[in-house]
Amino acid sequence: MERETKTIVTPIGKNQIVILTYLTGREKRLLTNIYLEEKLNYDSENKRVEGISPAAINRAQDVAWKTVIQSFDGKKDGVNDFSVVNAVLDLRSEDYNFVVKEVNDITADKEFEQKKTS
Protein backbone atom coordinates (compact mmCIF):
# COMPACT_ATOMS: atom_id res chain seq x y z
CA MET A 1 0.00 0.00 0.00
CA GLU A 2 1.46 3.33 -1.08
CA ARG A 3 1.00 5.97 1.60
CA GLU A 4 1.00 9.73 1.37
CA THR A 5 4.33 11.38 2.16
CA LYS A 6 5.60 14.91 2.39
CA THR A 7 9.07 16.38 2.14
CA ILE A 8 10.42 18.55 4.91
CA VAL A 9 13.63 20.57 4.74
CA THR A 10 15.69 21.22 7.85
CA PRO A 11 16.11 24.94 8.53
CA ILE A 12 19.91 25.05 8.90
CA GLY A 13 21.42 22.11 7.01
CA LYS A 14 18.71 22.08 4.32
CA ASN A 15 18.47 18.28 4.50
CA GLN A 16 15.53 16.89 2.51
CA ILE A 17 13.61 14.35 4.54
CA VAL A 18 10.63 12.44 3.18
CA ILE A 19 8.19 11.48 5.92
CA LEU A 20 4.89 9.64 6.10
CA THR A 21 1.86 11.76 6.93
CA TYR A 22 0.21 9.22 9.27
CA LEU A 23 0.77 5.97 11.15
CA THR A 24 -1.11 2.73 10.67
CA GLY A 25 -2.73 1.02 13.63
CA ARG A 26 0.03 -1.59 13.63
CA GLU A 27 2.71 1.12 13.85
CA LYS A 28 0.83 2.96 16.60
CA ARG A 29 0.55 -0.29 18.57
CA LEU A 30 4.28 -0.91 18.22
CA LEU A 31 5.10 2.51 19.66
CA THR A 32 2.52 2.22 22.43
CA ASN A 33 3.83 -1.19 23.49
CA ILE A 34 7.29 0.24 24.13
CA TYR A 35 5.80 2.39 26.89
CA LEU A 36 3.41 -0.26 28.17
CA GLU A 37 6.31 -2.67 28.66
CA GLU A 38 7.71 -0.18 31.18
CA LYS A 39 4.79 -0.70 33.60
CA LEU A 40 4.23 3.01 33.99
CA ASN A 41 2.29 4.63 36.78
CA TYR A 42 0.09 7.45 35.53
CA ASP A 43 -1.46 9.89 37.99
CA SER A 44 -4.21 11.54 35.94
CA GLU A 45 -5.11 13.97 38.72
CA ASN A 46 -1.62 15.46 38.83
CA LYS A 47 -0.80 14.55 35.21
CA ARG A 48 2.40 12.78 36.21
CA VAL A 49 3.99 9.70 34.72
CA GLU A 50 6.38 7.64 36.81
CA GLY A 51 8.51 4.64 35.99
CA ILE A 52 9.62 5.40 32.45
CA SER A 53 13.26 4.86 31.67
CA PRO A 54 15.35 7.00 29.34
CA ALA A 55 16.14 3.81 27.40
CA ALA A 56 12.43 3.33 26.64
CA ILE A 57 12.11 6.92 25.47
CA ASN A 58 15.15 6.49 23.21
CA ARG A 59 13.84 3.16 21.87
CA ALA A 60 10.42 4.69 21.09
CA GLN A 61 12.03 7.66 19.38
CA ASP A 62 14.25 5.38 17.28
CA VAL A 63 11.23 3.30 16.21
CA ALA A 64 9.27 6.47 15.38
CA TRP A 65 12.09 7.81 13.21
CA LYS A 66 12.58 4.50 11.41
CA THR A 67 8.83 4.26 10.82
CA VAL A 68 8.01 7.81 9.78
CA ILE A 69 11.18 8.86 7.92
CA GLN A 70 11.16 7.26 4.49
CA SER A 71 14.35 8.86 3.22
CA PHE A 72 17.00 11.30 4.40
CA ASP A 73 18.71 13.20 1.59
CA GLY A 74 17.65 10.38 -0.74
CA LYS A 75 19.06 7.61 1.48
CA LYS A 76 16.89 4.89 2.99
CA ASP A 77 17.36 3.32 6.40
CA GLY A 78 19.22 0.01 6.24
CA VAL A 79 20.43 0.44 2.66
CA ASN A 80 24.23 0.54 2.25
CA ASP A 81 24.64 0.69 6.05
CA PHE A 82 22.74 4.00 6.25
CA SER A 83 21.04 4.63 9.60
CA VAL A 84 18.25 7.18 9.74
CA VAL A 85 18.62 7.23 13.55
CA ASN A 86 22.29 8.18 13.32
CA ALA A 87 21.55 10.74 10.63
CA VAL A 88 18.98 12.48 12.85
CA LEU A 89 21.21 12.30 15.92
CA ASP A 90 24.11 13.82 13.97
CA LEU A 91 22.11 16.90 12.94
CA ARG A 92 22.74 20.33 14.43
CA SER A 93 20.50 20.77 17.45
CA GLU A 94 18.19 23.21 15.64
CA ASP A 95 17.66 20.75 12.78
CA TYR A 96 17.34 17.85 15.23
CA ASN A 97 14.59 19.71 17.13
CA PHE A 98 12.82 20.44 13.84
CA VAL A 99 12.81 16.77 12.80
CA VAL A 100 11.75 15.60 16.26
CA LYS A 101 8.78 18.00 16.20
CA GLU A 102 7.72 16.90 12.72
CA VAL A 103 7.86 13.20 13.65
CA ASN A 104 6.16 13.83 17.01
CA ASP A 105 3.33 15.64 15.22
CA ILE A 106 2.68 12.44 13.26
CA THR A 107 3.12 9.96 16.11
CA ALA A 108 1.33 11.95 18.84
CA ASP A 109 -1.97 10.62 20.06
CA LYS A 110 -3.99 13.74 19.32
CA GLU A 111 -7.21 12.23 20.65
CA PHE A 112 -5.52 11.58 24.02
CA GLU A 113 -4.03 15.09 24.04
CA GLN A 114 -7.44 16.63 23.39
CA LYS A 115 -9.01 14.63 26.23
CA LYS A 116 -6.14 15.59 28.54
CA THR A 117 -6.59 19.29 27.89
CA SER A 118 -10.38 19.43 27.92
Side-chain angles (χ1 to χ4, degrees):
M1 169 176 81
E2 191 73 23
R3 279 196 272 172
E4 180 184 18
T5 61
K6 70 177 184 177
T7 301
I8 59 172
V9 179
T10 59
I12 307 296
K14 304 300 181 202
N15 304 92
Q16 291 195 8
I17 303 171
V18 177
I19 61 173
L20 295 171
T21 59
Y22 64 91
L23 292 179
T24 64
R26 185 176 315 279
E27 292 161 344
K28 186 67 174 175
R29 178 190 281 180
L30 178 64
L31 284 170
T32 301
N33 285 344
I34 292 170
Y35 294 109
L36 293 177
E37 291 168 359
E38 288 285 306
K39 298 182 173 72
L40 302 176
N41 294 317
Y42 178 66
D43 178 354
S44 60
E45 187 174 313
N46 295 313
K47 296 182 179 157
R48 281 189 17 206
V49 176
E50 295 177 356
I52 191 161
S53 70
I57 293 169
N58 290 345
R59 195 166 66 247
Q61 196 170 49
D62 292 353
V63 168
W65 293 342
K66 288 180 178 185
T67 302
V68 173
I69 297 173
Q70 300 299 289
S71 70
F72 189 106
D73 286 338
K75 300 174 188 161
K76 295 187 179 281
D77 188 61
V79 177
N80 295 325
D81 293 325
F82 178 75
S83 167
V84 74
V85 171
N86 286 335
V88 173
L89 290 173
D90 289 340
L91 289 170
R92 281 179 58 144
S93 62
E94 299 91 342
D95 287 345
Y96 168 85
N97 290 337
F98 174 80
V99 173
V100 167
K101 182 191 177 311
E102 290 288 331
V103 172
N104 286 350
D105 286 348
I106 293 162
T107 61
D109 192 338
K110 292 171 182 63
E111 188 174 303
F112 175 75
E113 290 297 317
Q114 288 172 348
K115 288 179 185 175
K116 202 166 76 170
T117 58
S118 52

